[in-house]
Amino acid sequence: MNKIKSLLPILALLLIFQTCDSSQQYPEEIRSVINRLDSQRSSPTIQENAAKSLLQRLLPSHSSSFIFNIISKDVCGGDSCFRIENYNKSSRHGPQIVIKGTTAVEIASGLHWYLKYLCGAHISWEKTGGVQMASIPDTGSLPFVKDGGLVMKRPVPWNYYQNVVTSSYSFVWWDWQRWEKEIDWMALQGINLPLAFTGQEAIWQKVFADFIVSKDDLNDFFGGPAFLAWARMGNLHGWGGPLSQNWLDHQLALQKQILSRMLELGMTPVLPSFSGNVPAALRKIYPSSNITRLGNWNTVSGDPRWCCTFLLDPSDPLFVKLGEAFIKKQIKEYGDVTDIYNCDTFNENSPPTDDPTYISSLGAAVYEAMVKGDKYAVWLMQGWLFYSDSKFWKPPQMEALLHSVPKGKMVVLDLFAEVKPVWETSSQFYGTPYVWCMLHNFGGNIEMYGVLDSISSGPIDARTSESSTMVGVGMCMEGIEHNPVVYELMSEMAYRNEKLQLVDWIKTYSHRRYGKAIHQLDTAWEILYHTIYNCTDGIADHNKDYIVEFPDWDPVNNTVLGGTENYQNHNSFNSHRSMRHIFLNSGPSLPSPHLWYPTEEVIKALRLFLDAGKDLVGSSTYRYDLVDLTRQALSKLANDAYLKAVTAFQHKDLKALDLHSQKFIQLIKDIEKVLASDENFLLGTWLDSAKRLALNPKEMRQYEWNARTQITMWFDTTETNQSKLHDYANKFWSGLLEDYYLPRATTYFNHLRKALQDNEVFKIDVWRREWISYSNKWQSDTKIYPKKRRGDALSIASRMYEKYFS
């Protein structure tokens, strides 16, 4: 108790008890959208009960310590807000704090704010260490708010969440128990506009049946569970499938649970709409329709079993009919739950002509398909294409698309605004409302990375800029459950009206995360803020460390299979490799991992973390951070060992090749031990979650293959050609290092060594054949991996520090 009391003066520096006058005037059209959504929300009683249930799940010991009330926006000048007040009756066992909000999300946000800044608590995903609640005082002893209370208004109405591929990289194997925790987390973070994409294949099955497309016709249309996001976007079809009726029915039932809880909490879910992607059978049923086959998206050889999907042109009358039917079928299944629909027809495929009139007609057709199904429909569109394909989307083309729908009926996600803000170069999207988004992560890779300064200032700069059309903030990461500091800061920006002093914020973050102030960790986090979390080079970060993304590289000819030139035609943010090569100019030969900070500074931070360990025995948040930081430091050391090994080969120095390749191999083994010491870095939990969704042995094998394939080869191979997307979704997970990354590196270096010993040319095709055969077997294997951590993280990390850095 004394420890948290010592934190309160510092916390008080950050917590400003004020009525934040953040009211902003929006176009009447956006105001009317918000008003209609408000009118459709669940009743105050339902929302208050939902907030109480959330508290019961989060902090059952204090369920009677808080009173929750829904209030009108009029109380906050017409904006969304929460109010924290003291309960005016004193009772040791009764309520002490009253939290009022315009929705249950605002109440949950207020609860989170109170627990953070008055009780020194911390809430993050379970897989990033979970919660730190030990600092919360007992019931009857909760701290009171000062100066009569606190009011926090949203400076912008929406806080958006998810990327269209998060459903595959992170959510794919979730059951309701895990979804319930995520929706609680969303509410506590103030998220009120989440994407809700689960179960849409079951809706499409019903829709296509009305258009005489059979269930069998859809077997090669839908992708497998781990690849649904890309089948939905028309990148592929059939890969990892077919989907069983069990899967379709389960996911539809799960979606109804998800939507029900979102609505109870006062959220506005974003549902999918029709983007033009259709099954091959539709061409035969409607032979006169304008359906074209798209080009190859990252397959090795254009295999028609999963390559080259079919697109129905938006100008075709059938497009509107299908789009209308899909919206109406969702409303029939779920009820009138939203007016906001996502569609990204042009993200992967540029229109056939750059004529602005034609582009405008296409946009109008997409919107017409929505509005015929829901007359109040608003089109939510990712704005990534305006940057990634800027050669096509020049100002006339951008304006034509953005102005093809009535004003206020389109909202754009400025998807990568923390690094590449499009609003700055497009006159605020030419007057179209937009959401300032943080992209941050690709493929669910595990890498400590962030741009905290940009996150704390970017939304403020955008909102206060001249003629701003910003209407929200958002998080659009491809994968979740990593870098908790980044997501906590970004979530706070939904309520922040001014730029933060991050040195102070980082210090209090450290205190909250571990439940106490420890001077070594204060210093360590200041180092991390100025290094790992201060990337300013404008490069989109993917974990390309050589352990997890081993180069398919021939050091003799200085060439890499599937180099930059193979991916430039894929300009969607979701087209994976293109994103990497847009930003990372690593040259035509050996890919180079992203390094934006001095590694010696991060090693100092690791030493400080180790020194603090004796004060944090049993802390899951500390253990997660220690393991992650140790992994980060060792993986960068491995990059250096790899480069020295291949350089030694090129100089025909067998002794040096052995030295450095053995060090690389040993680092994989040692990082495996580090990762195994925390349950959040285990392959076994990912595979087990996939198998637990299966209802029969056939499904179990299919789901496990999907789970293994996504994080390794990802897509198709030939005998001597790896997938072009291999390692895109790489993971630093115990089990994956030992049984996948280690054999790969070992066989590669063995082939290099043999070439030098025998004075032969290195035969990379021979290695590729051997490695691809191994990978295929591993992807189809059913070995069971541990789901519980092994060893003491502090002891293991200390040994690794002494071994490599002392």
Side-chain angles (χ1 to χ4, degrees):
M1 181 64 65
N2 290 333
K3 291 174 181 174
I4 189 57
K5 284 182 178 178
S6 69
L7 294 180
L8 291 180
I10 299 174
L11 295 172
L13 293 175
L14 213 72
L15 182 61
I16 303 172
F17 291 93
Q18 61 178 1
T19 299
C20 293
D21 188 8
S22 56
S23 298
Q24 195 174 24
Q25 295 301 313
Y26 305 110
E28 183 57 35
E29 295 82 4
I30 286 294
R31 184 68 70 179
S32 66
V33 169
I34 294 170
N35 288 342
R36 169 167 161 79
L37 293 172
D38 287 345
S39 71
Q40 298 294 104
R41 296 199 196 284
S42 300
S43 69
T45 299
I46 289 175
Q47 292 191 61
E48 289 166 1
N49 288 336
K52 292 174 185 175
S53 296
L54 187 158
L55 173 61
Q56 179 66 33
R57 291 187 293 273
L58 176 70
L59 195 61
S61 59
H62 290 65
S63 59
S64 62
S65 298
F66 297 88
I67 292 177
F68 296 152
N69 295 133
I70 294 291
I71 57 175
S72 168
K73 280 186 174 181
D74 294 338
V75 177
C76 296
D79 294 320
S80 297
C81 72
F82 62 77
R83 301 174 64 97
I84 305 175
E85 302 171 355
N86 300 322
Y87 188 63
N88 56 15
K89 296 180 182 177
S90 93
S91 167
R92 182 163 183 81
H93 302 291
Q96 289 183 274
I97 301 297
V98 180
I99 301 178
K100 302 174 181 179
T102 48
T103 67
V105 168
E106 313 307 325
I107 291 174
S109 300
L111 172 65
H112 189 199
W113 203 275
Y114 176 83
L115 294 177
K116 283 168 65 170
Y117 287 123
L118 275 85
C119 301
H122 173 76
I123 299 169
S124 66
W125 291 297
E126 281 190 9
K127 283 186 70 65
T128 57
V131 300
Q132 184 287 113
M133 297 290 194
S135 60
I136 300 176
D138 294 336
T139 56
S141 301
L142 292 175
F144 291 109
V145 293
K146 298 178 181 179
D147 303 327
L150 165 68
V151 179
M152 294 294 289
K153 296 182 182 180
R154 290 185 186 268
V156 283
W158 285 318
N159 188 1
Y160 174 81
Y161 183 57
Q162 293 181 40
N163 186 296
V164 293
V165 301
T166 318
S167 57
S168 289
Y169 283 133
S170 296
F171 306 158
V172 53
W173 310 121
W174 285 5
D175 55 15
W176 169 242
Q177 182 180 20
R178 178 61 186 88
W179 262 110
E180 184 174 53
K181 292 178 180 178
E182 187 70 8
I183 298 171
D184 284 352
W185 181 89
M186 291 183 203
L188 291 162
Q189 307 299 330
I191 292 160
N192 59 8
L193 191 67
L195 209 58
F197 266 28
T198 302
Q200 60 181 280
E201 284 69 30
I203 302 292
W204 275 119
Q205 185 186 62
K206 297 172 188 286
V207 170
F208 281 128
D210 294 339
F211 287 79
I212 328 176
V213 178
S214 70
K215 292 181 180 180
D216 289 342
D217 289 332
L218 297 175
N219 282 341
D220 73 343
F221 177 60
F222 299 138
F227 303 97
L228 284 176
W230 300 276
R232 291 165 182 170
M233 292 185 288
N235 302 139
L236 54 81
H237 64 93
W239 180 250
L243 295 178
S244 68
Q245 195 62 45
N246 288 336
W247 173 273
L248 295 171
D249 294 343
H250 171 266
Q251 292 294 296
L252 182 60
L254 183 59
Q255 170 76 336
K256 291 178 179 180
Q257 289 179 290
I258 292 167
L259 291 174
S260 177
R261 181 58 53 82
M262 287 178 174
L263 295 173
E264 289 171 5
L265 288 163
M267 298 177 183
T268 298
V270 179
L271 292 179
S273 60
F274 180 49
S275 63
N277 183 30
V278 295
L282 205 68
R283 288 192 308 168
K284 298 177 181 178
I285 301 169
Y286 299 91
S288 61
S289 291
N290 186 4
I291 299 175
T292 57
R293 190 156 200 176
L294 301 177
N296 183 9
W297 185 86
N298 284 324
T299 68
V300 172
S301 59
D303 192 320
R305 289 176 294 172
W306 34 78
C307 169
C308 312
T309 58
F310 295 92
L311 184 72
L312 175 62
D313 194 282
S315 64
D316 192 294
L318 184 59
F319 186 101
V320 174
K321 292 178 182 178
L322 274 168
E324 175 186 0
F326 182 62
I327 297 290
K328 287 184 174 179
K329 192 71 71 173
Q330 288 185 108
I331 294 173
K332 181 179 179 180
E333 287 287 338
Y334 310 141
D336 185 9
V337 299
T338 190
D339 294 328
I340 303 185
Y341 301 91
N342 169 260
C343 183
D344 295 305
T345 296
F346 308 114
N347 221 30
E348 184 68 24
N349 311 290
S350 298
T353 173
D354 63 1
D355 177 22
T357 301
Y358 179 76
I359 292 172
S360 181
S361 68
L362 293 185
V366 172
Y367 176 68
E368 183 184 1
M370 292 182 195
V371 81
K372 280 204 168 184
D374 178 352
K375 66 180 181 179
Y376 299 107
V378 176
W379 180 358
L380 183 77
M381 182 182 72
Q382 293 183 154
W384 172 253
L385 71 168
F386 299 134
Y387 177 80
S388 66
D389 196 12
S390 58
K391 289 184 179 180
F392 179 90
W393 293 102
K394 295 182 174 65
Q397 289 74 32
M398 284 185 67
E399 287 191 75
L401 180 58
L402 295 171
H403 295 168
S404 64
V405 304
K407 189 175 181 181
K409 292 299 184 178
M410 178 185 283
V411 176
V412 182
L413 301 178
D414 197 353
L415 210 67
F416 200 21
E418 85 274 27
V419 177
K420 301 290 180 182
V422 175
W423 70 266
E424 291 184 346
T425 58
S426 64
S427 300
Q428 307 274 354
F429 289 96
Y430 300 103
T432 302
Y434 73 93
V435 176
W436 192 101
C437 295
M438 177 190 76
L439 182 51
H440 186 256
N441 176 267
F442 301 88
N445 296 165
I446 296 172
E447 170 87 311
M448 294 178 72
Y449 158 81
V451 287
L452 297 187
D453 284 341
S454 176
I455 292 168
S456 69
S457 62
I460 308 300
D461 292 338
R463 181 177 56 80
T464 58
S465 62
E466 185 177 358
S467 303
S468 176
T469 57
M470 178 180 161
V471 294
V473 295
M475 296 184 286
C476 296
M477 61 285 121
E478 287 193 353
I480 63 168
E481 298 176 322
H482 50 80
N483 292 288
V485 64
V486 173
Y487 293 88
E488 179 151 335
L489 177 60
M490 187 64 235
S491 296
E492 274 199 22
M493 298 313 295
Y495 289 97
R496 290 293 184 181
N497 198 34
E498 296 177 346
K499 298 178 184 180
L500 283 169
Q501 297 299 318
L502 281 180
V503 171
D504 291 337
W505 188 89
I506 286 288
K507 181 178 288 188
T508 59
Y509 171 84
S510 171
H511 298 172
R512 289 186 283 105
R513 183 151 171 84
Y514 311 120
K516 60 181 74 174
I518 300 176
H519 70 88
Q520 294 100 327
L521 293 181
D522 287 350
T523 305
W525 269 104
E526 187 170 356
I527 292 172
L528 296 179
Y529 162 50
H530 289 295
T531 54
I532 284 176
Y533 292 112
N534 188 36
C535 181
T536 58
D537 60 16
I539 294 176
D541 188 70
H542 309 250
N543 197 326
K544 295 176 69 70
D545 289 340
Y546 292 130
I547 288 176
V548 292
E549 187 172 320
F550 199 78
D552 193 337
W553 188 59
D554 184 349
V556 176
N557 299 311
N558 206 39
T559 58
V560 58
L561 181 68
T564 306
E565 66 282 1
N566 289 337
Y567 307 108
Q568 292 302 314
N569 61 322
H570 300 296
N571 49 40
S572 164
F573 127 76
N574 292 303
S575 63
H576 297 304
R577 294 288 171 148
S578 61
M579 170 68 93
R580 300 185 181 202
H581 291 286
I582 284 170
F583 294 112
L584 189 57
N585 299 315
S586 57
S589 53
L590 181 63
S592 176
H594 184 199
L595 186 62
W596 62 97
Y597 59 85
T599 54
E600 63 272 14
E601 289 299 304
V602 172
I603 293 168
K604 291 179 184 177
L606 175 58
R607 177 70 266 172
L608 291 164
F609 258 83
L610 293 169
D611 291 343
K614 64 181 181 297
D615 294 321
L616 290 166
V617 175
S619 168
S620 60
T621 50
Y622 168 76
R623 184 174 63 243
Y624 174 89
D625 291 345
L626 175 64
V627 167
D628 203 20
L629 184 57
T630 306
R631 172 210 57 75
Q632 183 90 3
L634 293 175
S635 66
K636 304 310 174 190
L637 188 62
N639 292 338
D640 181 66
Y642 171 87
L643 291 172
K644 288 177 178 177
V646 294
T647 301
F649 173 82
Q650 290 177 320
H651 289 109
K652 298 185 178 182
D653 186 341
L654 181 59
K655 183 177 180 181
L657 171 63
D658 284 345
L659 175 67
H660 299 300
S661 63
Q662 287 170 15
K663 182 176 183 179
F664 186 82
I665 296 298
Q666 188 59 49
L667 277 161
I668 297 178
K669 295 177 180 178
D670 285 341
I671 295 174
E672 164 74 23
K673 295 175 185 176
V674 173
L675 297 173
S677 68
D678 187 90
E679 60 270 17
N680 300 302
F681 295 91
L682 305 180
L683 171 64
T685 56
W686 168 255
L687 298 181
D688 183 67
S689 63
K691 291 183 285 186
R692 280 191 286 108
L693 284 188
L695 297 182
N696 55 57
K698 182 180 179 181
E699 288 181 354
M700 187 176 293
R701 291 296 296 268
Q702 180 191 13
Y703 296 174
E704 183 168 6
W705 182 91
N706 270 255
R708 287 169 174 255
T709 298
Q710 187 203 85
I711 60 176
T712 53
M713 277 296 180
W714 206 107
F715 212 4
D716 66 332
T717 63
T718 64
E719 287 187 358
T720 56
N721 288 280
Q722 293 196 68
S723 162
K724 292 182 180 181
L725 298 176
H726 72 86
D727 298 316
Y728 181 83
N730 65 66
K731 302 290 188 295
F732 268 103
W733 282 344
S734 170
L736 194 58
L737 268 74
E738 183 175 52
D739 282 359
Y740 194 83
Y741 299 143
L742 178 61
R744 176 170 62 184
T746 300
T747 58
Y748 181 82
F749 285 123
N750 284 344
H751 279 270
L752 290 184
R753 191 176 196 283
K754 185 176 185 303
L756 285 189
Q757 277 185 322
D758 298 344
N759 196 28
E760 295 178 348
V761 174
F762 171 59
K763 299 173 183 176
I764 193 168
D765 282 351
V766 175
W767 171 73
R768 285 173 181 157
R769 187 183 298 273
E770 180 180 344
W771 167 241
I772 293 168
S773 175
Y774 179 95
S775 180
N776 288 337
K777 292 175 183 176
W778 188 89
Q779 290 164 242
S780 299
D781 199 8
T782 57
K783 176 181 175 179
I784 297 174
Y785 288 87
K787 295 181 292 180
K788 294 184 179 180
R789 59 189 173 93
R790 307 183 303 280
D792 178 72
L794 180 58
S795 297
I796 294 170
S798 296
R799 289 201 303 271
M800 297 307 160
Y801 184 92
E802 293 302 318
K803 181 175 183 178
Y804 291 105
F805 303 123
S806 64

